[in-house]
């Protein structure tokens, strides 16, 4: 019977909350592996064991595990008897052929301190069996093959080779946020970063159809699909923004428009946040990247929101963000050409040091409450799930 032994790292440190964290991880694993033949998910101390019902499911299970936050590493493992002979036989019978390696080491971890043989002694004796069977030399530093043995109360596991997991905290342990998702490179990475810290992120995209094309909505949907792989369920709000922008152009001078657009976006997102019980907002802003992202402007933009606005990318370089977007799978979608909502009805030289009173003055002429209500009422909400049922 094949198992996958999953190790979590950081969540092991969470004291009394640990059971709750592990419970959430197990729930997320069940969700991510839905539809595959999983016999059971067990939680022997400090680990999660996924017992496969059918070996054919293995490649897909391993693939899906790459997207589960909270997983530090994972390995295909065998549960074996806890006696020395049983372990030695199980290891020898699973060894690759002689040509596959030149050196090896056996690493024993004893999570059950009551097990009578100390780890180094057990490693040495199991190692001598491997040596007899294959003749490889022992190398404690750079072994070609690392054979791991974990002794738990009632069970022992052996495995060779393991995969690095994605890390982070299980989604759902960090509360909910609303993520402002443009079609650009930054905002999906920003939302993903918060998911990685355990937050669920409800996604909101502002579009300017019919003034601009539908491309941005299509991109937002595809980005949301990629992000949903990591949080399993997403809501995507598609909010019509073009008419509001047109209204703004009638009374606000050109250089302040981007700031007013962005303040309005935050207010609308905040209203949505109250509907979905989210505690804060997330944007992909980076200091100095574009005119609206100076410190002065961010400060004035934030004053439109009463809940925290998180900007996980604020201190990152574009190259670093791009590398992350490529790793998580959103980059190719983000670079599809499209017209940016914020460039609609805006001049080429926007204000870079907005003053609070000038912005307040400009907004006084706008029916802000009505604009928020209209936007929220006319939003289209789409549900996404992974794996798709
Ligand atoms: P991005 O690559 O995320 O679009 P950007 O460098 O193009 O970022 P801006 O266009 O100034 O920067 O947007 C800054 C942030 O404001 C975005 O990261 C996003 O969180 C939010 N935002 C901007 N436009 C939209 C939009 N149309 N819908 C939703 N959020 C938006
Ligand atoms: Mg953008």
């Amino acid at each position: 019977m094949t198992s996958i032994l999953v190790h979590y790292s950081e969540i092991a440190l969470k004291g009394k909350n640990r059971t709750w964290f592990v419970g959430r991880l197990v729930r997320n694993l069940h969700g991510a592996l839905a539809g595959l033949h999983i016999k059971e998910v067990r939680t022997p101390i400090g680990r999660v064991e996924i017992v496969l019902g059918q070996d054919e499911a293995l490649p897909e299970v391993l693939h899906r595990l790459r997207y589960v936050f909270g997983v530090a590493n994972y390995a295909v493992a065998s549960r074996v008897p806890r006696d020395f002979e049983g372990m030695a036989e199980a290891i020898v019978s699973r060894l690759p052929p002689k040509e596959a390696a030149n050196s090896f080491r056996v690493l024993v971890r004893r999570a059950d301190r009551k097990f009578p043989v100390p780890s180094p002694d057990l490693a040495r004796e199991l190692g001598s069996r491997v040596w007899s069977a294959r003749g490889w030399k022992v190398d404690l530093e750079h072994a070609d093959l690392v054979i791991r043995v974990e002794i738990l109360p009632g069970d022992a596991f052996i495995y060779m080779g393991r995969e690095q997991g994605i890390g982070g905290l299980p989604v759902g342990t960090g509360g909910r946020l609303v993520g402002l998702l443009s079609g650009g490179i930054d905002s999906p990475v920003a939302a993903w970063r918060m998911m990685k810290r355990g937050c669920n992120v409800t996604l909101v995209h502002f579009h300017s159809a019919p003034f601009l094309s539908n491309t941005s909505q299509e991109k937002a949907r595809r980005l949301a699909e990629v992000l949903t792989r990591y949080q399993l369920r997403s809501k995507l709000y598609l909010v019509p923004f073009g008419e509001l922008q047109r209204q703004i152009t009638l009374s606000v001078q050109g250089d302040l428009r981007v700031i007013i657009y962005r303040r309005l976006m935050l207010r609308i997102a905040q209203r949505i946040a109250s509907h979905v019980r989210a505690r804060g907002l997330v944007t992909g802003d980076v200091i100095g990247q574009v005119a609206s992202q100076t410190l002065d402007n961010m400060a004035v933009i934030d004053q439109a929101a009463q809940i925290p606005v998180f900007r996980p990318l604020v201190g990152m370089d574009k190259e670093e963000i791009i590398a992350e977007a490529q790793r998580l799978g959103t980059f190719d979608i983000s670079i599809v050409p499209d017209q940016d909502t914020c460039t609609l009805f805006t001049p080429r030289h926007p204000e870079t040091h907005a003053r609070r009173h000038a912005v307040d003055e400009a907004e006084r002429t706008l029916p802000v409450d009505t604009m928020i209500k209209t936007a929220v009422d006319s939003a289209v909400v789409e549900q996404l799930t992974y794996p798709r049922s």
Side-chain angles (χ1 to χ4, degrees), residues 59-74:
E60 182 61 17
V61 171
L62 293 176
H63 174 77
R64 293 197 197 170
L65 281 177
R66 289 167 34 195
Y67 300 98
V68 181
F69 289 128
V71 173
N73 60 64
Y74 52 98

Side-chain angles (χ1 to χ4, degrees), residues 28-200:
N28 293 351
L29 285 167
H30 275 296
L33 302 177
L36 302 176
H37 281 276
I38 305 300
K39 187 156 173 251
E40 191 187 359
V41 177
R42 302 167 70 239
T43 51
I45 36 167
R47 292 142 182 85
V48 178
E49 180 194 6
I50 301 166
V51 186
L52 298 193
Q54 254 180 16
D55 280 358
E56 295 83 84
L58 185 60
E60 182 61 17
V61 171
L62 293 176
H63 174 77
R64 293 197 197 170
L65 281 177
R66 289 167 34 195
Y67 300 98
V68 181
F69 289 128
V71 173
N73 60 64
Y74 52 98
V76 181
S78 309
R79 198 174 339 146
V80 300
R82 261 173 45 133
D83 60 281
F84 178 78
E85 275 311 318
M87 285 188 264
E89 271 168 36
I91 290 174
V92 170
S93 72
R94 287 165 177 80
L95 288 175
K98 187 169 167 51
E99 323 75 76
N102 286 313
S103 58
F104 79 101
R105 77 176 294 195
V106 178
L107 254 175
V108 175
R109 255 163 76 186
R110 226 171 17 136
D112 179 11
R113 295 275 154 213
K114 294 200 197 90
F115 190 76
V117 188
S119 304
D121 298 0
L122 185 58
R124 203 174 323 104
E125 288 181 33
L126 289 170
S128 107
R129 286 296 187 87
V130 173
W131 182 81
S132 311
R134 290 293 184 273
W136 298 321
K137 69 174 192 299
V138 174
D139 185 338
L140 298 184
E141 306 262 299
H142 307 288
D144 295 338
L145 182 72
V146 179
I147 301 165
R148 291 174 203 269
V149 178
E150 299 193 9
I151 314 274
L152 310 179
D155 291 313
F157 289 92
I158 59 166
Y159 56 96
M160 302 169 203
R162 63 178 184 189
E163 298 292 327
Q164 205 56 37
I166 192 172
L169 298 172
V171 168
T173 57
R176 181 172 294 277
L177 296 169
V178 165
L180 284 81
L181 183 72
S182 70
I185 295 170
D186 307 327
S187 49
V189 178
W192 181 83
R193 289 231 139 197
M194 302 312 281
M195 290 175 193
K196 188 171 185 199
R197 295 310 300 164
C199 297
N200 276 109

Side-chain angles (χ1 to χ4, degrees), residues 182-187 289 293 340-342:
S182 70
I185 295 170
D186 307 327
S187 49
Q289 206 188 68
Q293 300 177 13
D340 190 334
T341 304
C342 282

Side-chain angles (χ1 to χ4, degrees), residues 373-387:
K373 187 170 179 339
T374 311
V376 174
D377 289 348
S378 49
V380 171
V381 188
E382 298 185 358
Q383 297 274 358
L384 296 94
T385 52
Y386 180 84

Side-chain angles (χ1 to χ4, degrees), residues 295-363:
L295 266 187
D296 282 344
N297 286 357
M298 284 194 214
V300 171
I301 289 168
D302 273 10
Q303 281 160 357
Q306 274 93 51
I307 55 177
V309 181
F310 297 107
R311 297 183 167 87
L313 313 186
V314 75
M316 288 173 79
D317 288 345
K318 196 74 191 184
E319 290 71 36
E320 296 171 305
I321 300 171
I322 287 175
E324 195 144 278
Q326 284 168 330
R327 274 197 299 275
L328 80 94
T330 51
F331 183 74
D332 292 340
I333 304 168
S334 294
I335 59 172
V336 171
D338 142 46
Q339 300 154 305
D340 190 334
T341 304
C342 282
T343 58
L344 184 63
F345 313 127
T346 40
R348 232 179 274 169
H349 299 290
E351 177 62 69
T352 49
H353 299 285
R355 303 253 162 252
R356 174 85 194 257
H357 72 266
V359 171
D360 286 343
E361 195 69 25
E363 281 180 358

